[in-house]
Amino acid sequence: MDQDHPRRRRRRRSGEDHISGLPDELLHSILLRLGSARAAARTCALSRRWRRVWAHLPELVFGSGSRDAPPLAPASFARGVGGVARSVDGALAAYAADTTLEGLVIVLPTAACDALDGVPAGRVARWLRFAAGRVAGELILFMPPPTMPPHEPEGVHWAALELPACERARTIALRLRLDWRLRLPPAGSFAALTSLTILFACMDGGELTAHVCTRCPCMRNLRLCLVLVDDHGVSIRSDSLRSLSFVARARWLEVVTPGLEYLCVGEDIGEARVSAPKLAGLVWSCHATYDPHRHRFEDAGRRRLQLLDIGETSAAGLLLRKFEGVEVDQLRLGVSIPLGIEAYKSFSNETSKLPKCQTLNITLLPRNCHGLAPVMLHLLRSCSSTKKVSVQLFDFSGYSSMQCTNPQKVGLQPYKVVFEKVRSMCHPKIEVEFYDFMDGAWVRFD
């Protein structure tokens, strides 16, 4: 019979197969396509040849997007988080000591806060120490996102978590917990680091300043969303930095970056000094009102900006005047005018003259209490050089175009009528687009 063929019997006795005979480099390529360190480790049960293949993989991936993180029911939250954490512990302990990692990705599944008690800061600290000695490429560690905004929690005991010096890592992205205080080592260098992201952690402003200014000579991209736990401000001085996003409440912020091209500032900044002569994109979404005496842009955007994004005109109207003579490719304005004639007059004064721009993007925020038509008419008069207008509204179905002129007479015009009225205000050559935010996405109205 065919099953008793001598060649087949010899292959069964030897235990070999065509795949196992491939060189390690090809086997690594096969295992990497699984997208899961746990799934790769399970292949050790196939044969003696496969027993240690996974332990030399150049990348280890745990969590979201792999078999480690299937969609969890509420009752499975703790089990899911603990399962991934145990997989990480076991894999890192068994990983080959002589292998350098090009990528270590740990993404814990979204879970209830109580389930996170099984992943304390001390456990994560061991993962970071492993990464410091092995990772020569990308390190990503994401805890589940917090349910509260990134403000300092009251009455919380912070657990300390140290980020060791990762001399060979080129990219580090951390999403931690608001009750963890991330500490930076007193010595050591991040010599190869070009991109650093730290989200939802508490940090000392002085440590952050020293880290960026003295230990990251190749840093190009820096993204921070933090709670500062001291009274210090933050100083970012770097010749290599090209992109900076800083979202934190700070008493003062200093940015001295001769090569910086993009800057995003959020939350409340008491005082700010920005020196960035090559700045091409600015996003100002601070909640506090922009004050030219406290927030100084010394030599930023002198001639042209690719992007100028004003989070709310009510808080940053004076910032528009700062760039009044600057040509802007794309100007984004968030409009939120409180109810009342005086509030509308204040908005009109702050936006009486806008920078010259190619594209004008206007977002009417949910707190806006005034009609679309008068707002658009005023902005178009203030920015007559634009070639394209994009209007974004949150929940147009609940928006009233009559609230400004007569709060007692609240009526809803069909959106097409309002849109056509706005189009009629524009020059025929101006392209006009309308978007409504529905079900978590922007939907365009034709």
Side-chain angles (χ1 to χ4, degrees):
M1 296 176 63
D2 183 66
Q3 65 180 6
D4 294 326
H5 193 279
R7 184 177 297 175
R8 293 180 181 273
R9 288 200 300 270
R10 286 196 301 271
R11 188 169 58 192
R12 286 201 301 269
R13 284 197 299 268
S14 67
E16 292 295 331
D17 57 72
H18 292 298
I19 297 180
S20 295
L22 295 174
D24 285 356
E25 291 76 11
L26 287 179
L27 295 181
H28 291 162
S29 178
I30 294 172
L31 294 184
L32 288 174
R33 292 177 182 274
L34 296 176
S36 164
R38 177 188 289 182
R42 288 173 179 166
T43 61
C44 67
L46 296 176
S47 70
R48 185 177 300 174
R49 167 74 174 88
W50 287 81
R51 192 165 296 173
R52 296 291 296 169
V53 172
W54 75 269
H56 294 269
L57 285 175
E59 298 178 9
L60 293 178
V61 178
F62 305 89
S64 180
S66 72
R67 298 182 186 181
D68 299 319
L72 297 178
S76 304
F77 278 151
R79 186 166 62 253
V81 173
V84 176
R86 286 191 296 271
S87 296
V88 175
D89 291 339
L92 299 189
Y95 192 74
D98 59 346
T99 303
T100 296
L101 272 171
E102 297 175 7
L104 175 60
V105 179
I106 303 173
V107 181
L108 297 188
T110 301
C113 294
D114 293 341
L116 292 178
D117 293 339
V119 190
R123 193 174 195 175
V124 174
R126 293 195 297 270
W127 301 346
L128 293 177
R129 287 195 293 271
F130 173 90
R134 303 292 188 86
V135 174
E138 181 180 57
L139 168 62
I140 298 177
L141 171 59
F142 276 16
M143 302 297 290
T147 56
M148 67 177 78
H151 300 313
E152 183 173 352
E154 297 182 2
V156 173
H157 175 71
W158 288 296
L161 175 66
E162 181 174 299
L163 174 62
C166 302
E167 295 187 357
R168 296 183 294 168
R170 294 187 296 272
T171 298
I172 297 178
L174 305 176
R175 186 177 69 197
L176 303 175
R177 291 176 51 174
L178 293 174
D179 57 348
W180 288 357
R181 180 168 179 174
L182 185 64
R183 306 303 301 263
L184 299 170
S189 171
F190 294 74
L193 190 64
T194 60
S195 178
L196 175 62
T197 297
I198 303 176
L199 307 177
F200 310 127
C202 299
M203 292 190 69
D204 179 278
E207 288 186 5
L208 179 60
T209 295
H211 176 73
V212 175
C213 296
T214 64
R215 298 176 190 168
C216 304
C218 299
M219 181 83 72
R220 295 181 62 87
N221 303 300
L222 178 60
R223 182 187 177 198
L224 303 170
C225 183
L226 305 167
V227 173
L228 298 179
V229 297
D230 58 13
D231 229 358
H232 295 93
V234 175
S235 177
I236 306 293
R237 289 175 171 264
S238 171
D239 292 336
S240 61
L241 198 63
R242 296 295 180 268
S243 174
L244 170 62
S245 177
F246 184 88
V247 181
R249 290 180 177 178
R251 187 164 58 87
W252 56 268
L253 172 66
E254 180 185 55
V255 179
V256 181
T257 48
L260 192 70
E261 299 172 357
Y262 172 84
L263 173 63
C264 173
V265 181
E267 289 299 334
D268 295 343
I269 306 296
E271 297 182 10
R273 172 179 172 254
V274 178
S275 176
K278 294 185 178 180
L279 191 68
L282 172 63
V283 178
W284 183 272
S285 57
C286 296
H287 296 266
T289 301
Y290 169 80
D291 184 343
H293 300 291
R294 296 186 296 111
H295 306 125
R296 294 176 294 153
F297 291 85
E298 295 182 348
D299 52 4
R302 292 178 174 177
R303 297 180 180 178
R304 188 180 190 90
L305 288 175
Q306 295 177 5
L307 171 66
L308 177 58
D309 188 333
I310 304 298
E312 289 191 27
T313 53
S314 58
L318 292 177
L319 184 59
L320 292 171
R321 297 185 182 180
K322 166 67 179 178
F323 297 98
E324 184 176 307
V326 177
E327 293 185 5
V328 180
D329 291 344
Q330 184 176 13
L331 175 62
R332 299 177 184 171
L333 302 177
V335 178
S336 177
I337 314 171
L339 191 64
I341 299 300
E342 293 302 320
Y344 187 80
K345 288 182 178 179
S346 177
F347 162 77
S348 300
N349 292 333
E350 292 173 349
T351 57
S352 59
K353 191 173 183 179
L354 301 179
K356 295 180 180 179
C357 66
Q358 298 294 315
T359 300
L360 177 61
N361 186 299
I362 301 170
T363 301
L364 270 71
L365 302 174
R367 297 182 300 276
N368 181 62
C369 298
H370 292 257
L372 173 62
V375 169
M376 287 299 305
L377 179 60
H378 167 73
L379 293 177
L380 289 171
R381 286 174 175 173
S382 303
C383 187
S384 57
S385 61
T386 187
K387 296 180 179 179
K388 179 179 179 180
V389 176
S390 177
V391 182
Q392 299 174 334
L393 306 106
F394 285 90
D395 187 18
F396 184 82
S397 61
Y399 185 83
S400 170
S401 64
M402 303 298 292
Q403 285 179 283
C404 172
T405 56
N406 189 351
Q408 303 300 323
K409 185 180 179 181
V410 177
L412 177 64
Q413 301 181 32
Y415 66 84
K416 288 187 178 180
V417 175
V418 178
F419 292 170
E420 289 305 320
K421 185 174 183 179
V422 172
R423 281 195 174 96
S424 67
M425 303 174 186
C426 302
H427 191 277
K429 293 185 178 181
I430 296 179
E431 181 183 355
V432 184
E433 298 176 346
F434 296 94
Y435 295 86
D436 192 6
F437 192 77
M438 299 185 299
D439 298 326
W442 290 105
V443 179
R444 179 175 176 177
F445 286 94
D446 296 323

